[in-house]
Structures are given as C-alpha cells and as structure tokens.
Amino acid sequence: MATSLGDLAQYRRLLQMILVLGVGGSFQVGFQLSMITYTSVHVKAFINETWLERSGRPVPPETLTLLWSSIVSVYGLGGLLGSMASGYLAGKYGKKKCLLGNNLVMLAGAGLLGSSKAAKSFEAILAGRFLSGVSAGLSVPLHPQYLGEVSPKKLRGFANSTMSLFWSLGKALGQVMGQRELLGSALLWPALMALTGLASSVQLLTLPFFPESPPHLFLHRGDEEACLRAMETLWGKGPHQAELEDLRAERAALQSARSKGVWAVVRDPALRWQLYLLVLTVVTMQLSGINAIYFYTFEVLHAAGFEEDHIPYLTLGVSLCELLSAVLCSFIIEHFRRKTILWGGYGLMASVLAAVTLTLSLQPAELLLSRPFPSSAGPPGCPTAASLCSSASCSASEWAQLRPPARKGPGLWGPRDALVPGGGSSSPNPPSRAPPAAGAIVSVRVEIFDQSSRSSAFVIGSALNWVGVFAIGMVFPFIVEHLQQFSFLIFMGALYTSSLLIYLFLPETKNKSIVEIREEFDKLNFKGKPALALGRGVTAGGPSCTKL
C-alpha cells in the first residue's frame, strides 16, 4: 500500500476513483441493509393509514405482515435478477457504462421511495425497493471487478478491501441517520429511504471524468494507447511497462478465447478449481454465522433484556465495530499473503465459535433457556479482522446476558415481533440483502479469473450469495431452537473445513499476473493430463502448488 507522501500524490487519481466507486457501490448496499429496520414502524403505520383511507377498514394483521415482508424481501429478488444480468451487461457495455446506468436505476428507485408518502401509495415503496435491489445486484459484482482492474498489482488488495470499508460505512451511516432525532421520525422516514439517491448522484456526476479500466481498453477494445493513457491518469507518470507486459501476455493467452458465458465457465475444465474455490468462499461466508447477527440483531438485544430506547445505539456500536475491522483489513491486506489471511482467519473465527460454545455449555441450564445465542461473526472483510470483530460481538453479547431478562413468554428468541426504534414492533428482517464479499476474499475472486471469465464467475458467485443469504436467514432460528448453543458447531465445522481446503488448494495470488496464477491452477485442473497442461503453457514436472 502507498505509504509515502510521494506515493499518495502519484496515486491520488486512483484514490479519488476508489472513493467515487465506493460511494456509489457497496456504500449504498450497506445503507439499504441498515436503513430498512429503522423505517419498519413508520412504513407499517403508513400502510395501515393508506388501507383505511382506501377501504374504510384497517388492514388485517396477516395482510400487513404479508405486505411488509414483501417490501423487505422484494429487495432480494431484485438483487438476484441484477446480479444475473451483470455479466452480460458488463461484457457488452463495459463496467463504467454499466455503473453509470446502474445509478439511473437507483435514482428511479429512490424517487419512488421518497415520493411514496406524498402519493399515498405503498405500491411505490414495493417498486422502489425492487429497483434498489436490482441496482444492488448490479453493483455488488461490478464494484470489485472495476476496483481490481483499475489498480496496479501492488495496490490490488488494498483497493478491493475498500469495498468492505464502504459497505460498513454505509451500514453505520444508515443507523446514524435512522435515529429518531435525525431522519428516523414519522415525518422524515421517506427522506431516509430515498437518501441513497444522493450517493448515486455523486457517482453519476463524477465517474464520467475517470477512464475505463486499462484491461478493458487493452483486451476488449485493443486500444493500447488509450490503455497507457488510463494507466498514467490513474497511476501517475512513470514506467508501467510491467503492467502492460502482463496485459500483452494475457491477450496472447486469450486470443483464441472469447468472453465466456455462465454455462461456458461452468463447463470449462480449465476453470474447474477456480469455481470450486469460488463456491467455497461463498458458502463459507454464509456458514460463518455472519448473516444471523445481521438479520436478528434487534431480536437478540431485545431478548437479552435491553430497553427499547437503548437498542438503536447498541446496534450502532456493532456497526462501528464492523467499520473498525474493515479499516484494519485495509491496512494489513498488503502486508500478508492472501492465502495466509484466508486460512488463518477462518481458523481463528472457528476457534472463537468453539470458545463461545464451550462457554455457553458451562452455564446453568435454566440460564440457557432464557438467553439468546447471538451469532459471533465479523463483517465481510478479511477473515482476520472479522475474527477480531467476532470477539467483540461475543463480549457484547455475554455482557448483555448479565442483565435481567425482560422477555415475556417462552422461547429462545422471545416474541416473534421484536421491538424496534420508535415504538411498535417489527418481524425479523427477511434475508433480502447480501453482504458483499470484500478484503482478501474479493481480491482472490478477482485474481483467480481472467478477463474472459471474470464477469460470468462473479454472476455465479453473486447468485449463490443471494440464495445462501435467503436460506441461512430462514433456517437459522429453527437451528437455534433445536440445537441451542450447539448450533455454533455447524459454523465452526464449516470454518475449519474451509480453512483446511484453502490451505491445501489455493495458490498464492498476491503480486502475480493472471497468467502466472492460471499456470498454478492448471497444475490442479489438468493433474494427470500433462499434454493438456503443456498445451496451456504449464511446465512439465513443475512443482505442485498445493501441500499435497
């Protein structure tokens, strides 16, 4: 990472572009993630008022629940559709044009959300949430790809880690702005829902002044001069011959290969282990326990005995912990090997979960029956930083359990409708939002796929991520209900397994070109088929890239 003032001056345009991409990218996803909880009471009241005005009768409780669940979950449907379209759109129009068009989609969604109360239409909220989800589904795979392509090799990890930083920043700002003293009131909640339109406007007005990514200009358009101009604009004056030679080598390797669709990527034997590791990182993110605490933070804190007025500030503290871990990840990612960060971080997170399970198991049984078991997973940054946040979350949860329980009625999670800021109740947030992968995970995903397959690979990963978020959010309360504190053993086993598989099979990608990384994977993909491996430029008898 650039550490001297000279380096900062040289890469100032790149840092500006990282800021623009972050504000219009993962920042909005994080804001949408936290904002919806703070508007739940007011949106339900608005639905009831609108229904009463239209029909002369209050809305039936089951209809209100269905409408609110639809408002929350339609965001996930839009996200899934957007992520599935991102590969095709990026290949046809380029990532810069896709992001600019994506801002128009978000502005349309923000306009519907902001005008819904004045129009007395909760249908406008549904449509706005759907368009916001489509925008999130497009930006989640495009943001890290663009970051990786506009960054030189020595800053690629740092640039990708900023995705997690902006995601956490958006989540924290959503919770700050959602306080009743700011925009979380009965009068200003439409402005809170439409606030992401401001971030989209910033990117829409500033991104045109930045160039398209150098790899896209060189590999897709064949314009070497434009590629060099983009490098000089983003990376400053200086010798960029090494980066250009890497692009030439990649172009030579891809001359006979066209941009691959999703099905072609799945069927390509040369991408078999890359896909295995992509699926592994997606599944591990879902089975790390991270989504459980995102979905049920309010429920956990309420069941732990905290008063309604204190819960918003406690959740804000959790978000600030996530933000701190994202900042830490940005600083350490270029000082350690990607592989070490991943397998070591997963192992440390699993050890934390083992300690939590042991601690809860040693408590008296009557306390276990009256206390929640919140997830202890950190933010989707690099796993090492995430495990530090996990420890902080565990400590906060244990401290919360020292307070007298204020629940009424049986059950591990307490009432199905948990109290939320501003009074009233809200059902647990359905799993309609996908925390984007960031830090070392995103860096690895960008680096193990070449230009012809990267967009389709991110489509696969994003689709799996949205589906996994939905599944985990639906089944986690039932897992906890039946397994009690031992539910963490599922997450612990998944993390230990992933740590071992990454240690054995993931080649190191830091400061390597895509051609070098592909040669390492060819030793796995064509193991036992030396003729095919030699045909792809792998030296016969070369050292294996794995511990096996």
Side-chain angles (χ1 to χ4, degrees):
M1 188 175 65
T3 54
S4 66
L5 294 178
D7 289 335
L8 291 175
Q10 178 183 353
Y11 293 105
R12 65 182 183 278
R13 289 287 288 173
L14 175 62
L15 297 176
Q16 292 170 1
M17 190 169 188
I18 289 174
L19 177 63
V20 169
L21 291 175
V23 168
S26 59
F27 173 86
Q28 298 188 52
V29 182
F31 188 91
Q32 290 277 347
L33 176 87
S34 59
M35 169 274 298
I36 190 63
T37 301
Y38 289 83
T39 61
S40 59
V41 175
H42 309 304
V43 171
K44 287 181 178 181
F46 170 67
I47 293 174
N48 193 43
E49 293 170 3
T50 305
W51 192 284
L52 182 63
E53 185 175 334
R54 292 179 182 178
S55 63
R57 298 188 305 272
V59 59
E62 58 275 10
T63 304
L64 178 61
T65 302
L66 176 62
L67 288 173
W68 170 244
S69 299
S70 300
I71 287 173
V72 179
S73 57
V74 76
Y75 183 77
L77 177 60
L80 180 60
L81 294 177
S83 64
M84 293 177 67
S86 63
Y88 169 77
L89 294 175
K92 185 173 182 178
Y93 300 107
K95 297 174 181 63
K96 179 180 176 180
K97 290 183 179 179
C98 283
L99 288 175
L100 290 173
N102 186 46
N103 288 318
L104 297 177
V105 176
M106 178 58 79
L107 284 173
L112 288 170
L113 293 170
S115 61
S116 58
K117 186 177 180 180
K120 298 181 179 180
S121 171
F122 56 80
E123 295 86 355
I125 301 179
L126 273 169
R129 286 283 293 171
F130 176 76
L131 291 178
S132 298
V134 172
S135 176
L138 285 168
S139 66
V140 165
L142 292 178
H143 184 188
Q145 292 181 68
Y146 206 3
L147 281 175
E149 292 179 9
V150 299
S151 306
K153 281 194 297 185
K154 67 177 183 178
L155 292 177
R156 205 161 48 196
F158 164 74
N160 284 322
S161 69
T162 61
M163 183 178 178
S164 173
L165 176 62
F166 281 101
W167 183 88
S168 301
L169 183 62
K171 190 168 182 288
L173 184 62
Q175 292 183 335
V176 170
M177 300 304 295
Q179 302 298 322
R180 287 172 300 204
E181 296 82 358
L182 297 175
L183 297 181
S185 64
L187 179 64
L188 298 177
W189 64 264
L192 177 63
M193 299 190 80
L195 198 60
T196 51
L198 181 61
S200 295
S201 300
V202 171
Q203 187 179 86
L204 185 63
L205 295 175
T206 56
L207 190 58
F209 296 98
F210 294 92
E212 183 61 85
S213 68
H216 180 81
L217 295 171
F218 190 88
L219 298 175
H220 284 267
R221 299 185 184 176
D223 193 340
E224 185 172 329
E225 292 185 2
C227 175
L228 281 173
R229 288 196 301 269
M231 288 181 177
E232 291 179 355
T233 300
L234 296 171
W235 307 341
K237 300 289 184 180
H240 304 302
Q241 196 63 29
E243 300 282 350
L244 194 59
E245 288 298 328
D246 289 341
L247 289 176
R248 286 171 179 162
E250 185 175 353
R251 183 175 63 179
L254 297 176
Q255 278 181 347
S256 59
R258 304 169 63 183
S259 293
K260 300 182 178 70
V262 172
W263 185 241
V265 170
V266 172
R267 296 182 60 184
D268 192 347
L271 298 173
R272 184 179 298 116
W273 274 97
Q274 290 93 318
L275 284 176
Y276 290 163
L277 291 168
L278 172 67
V279 173
L280 177 66
T281 55
V282 171
V283 172
T284 303
M285 179 182 294
Q286 303 304 325
L287 293 182
S288 65
I290 184 174
N291 289 319
I293 197 169
Y294 289 154
F295 299 150
Y296 300 107
T297 302
F298 274 77
E299 286 78 357
V300 166
L301 293 174
H302 178 249
F306 283 98
E307 297 179 4
E308 173 192 345
D309 293 339
H310 296 164
I311 291 178
Y313 305 103
L314 293 170
T315 57
L316 178 59
V318 174
S319 293
L320 292 178
C321 182
E322 297 173 11
L323 181 60
L324 177 62
S325 69
V327 173
L328 177 62
C329 180
S330 299
F331 279 98
I332 71 172
I333 191 168
E334 291 297 350
H335 297 281
F336 296 92
R337 293 157 59 94
R338 310 271 197 270
K339 182 175 179 177
T340 303
I341 291 176
L342 285 176
W343 75 259
Y346 284 151
L348 184 57
M349 290 172 68
S351 300
V352 169
L353 290 178
V356 171
T357 303
L358 179 62
T359 301
L360 294 175
S361 299
L362 294 177
Q363 295 185 25
E366 61 272 13
L367 294 181
L368 289 176
L369 292 176
S370 63
R371 294 176 179 172
F373 301 101
S375 170
S376 59
C382 71
T384 304
S387 58
L388 294 177
C389 186
S390 300
S391 302
S393 299
C394 274
S395 300
S397 301
E398 289 299 315
W399 175 65
Q401 292 172 20
L402 294 177
R403 295 171 58 93
R407 295 187 306 153
K408 295 181 181 180
L412 181 65
W413 291 92
R416 187 63 179 167
D417 289 343
L419 294 177
V420 295
S425 65
S426 170
S427 59
N429 296 330
S432 59
R433 55 260 181 170
I441 297 175
V442 173
S443 295
V444 168
R445 292 182 188 177
V446 171
E447 292 163 351
I448 63 178
F449 291 99
D450 59 31
Q451 191 75 11
S452 66
S453 59
R454 187 175 295 136
S455 295
S456 295
F458 268 78
V459 170
I460 296 171
S462 297
L464 289 175
N465 201 37
W466 286 97
V467 173
V469 166
F470 181 84
I472 292 297
M474 288 295 292
V475 304
F476 180 73
F478 302 101
I479 292 175
V480 173
E481 182 178 351
H482 289 87
L483 298 181
Q484 299 286 314
Q485 73 272 19
F486 298 107
S487 59
F488 292 117
L489 295 179
I490 299 175
F491 302 142
M492 183 191 70
L495 287 167
Y496 274 135
T497 301
S498 298
S499 177
L500 177 62
L501 292 175
I502 286 174
Y503 177 78
L504 292 176
F505 296 109
L506 177 65
E508 180 54 51
T509 62
K510 182 182 177 183
N511 293 333
K512 290 185 178 181
S513 68
I514 187 62
V515 176
E516 294 171 326
I517 296 171
R518 193 179 65 180
E519 288 176 355
E520 291 291 315
F521 273 106
D522 282 343
K523 299 171 188 176
L524 286 171
N525 292 322
F526 300 105
K527 194 174 184 179
K529 300 177 182 179
L532 291 175
L534 285 171
R536 289 180 55 84
V538 181
T539 304
S544 172
C545 66
T546 72
K547 295 297 180 180
L548 294 179

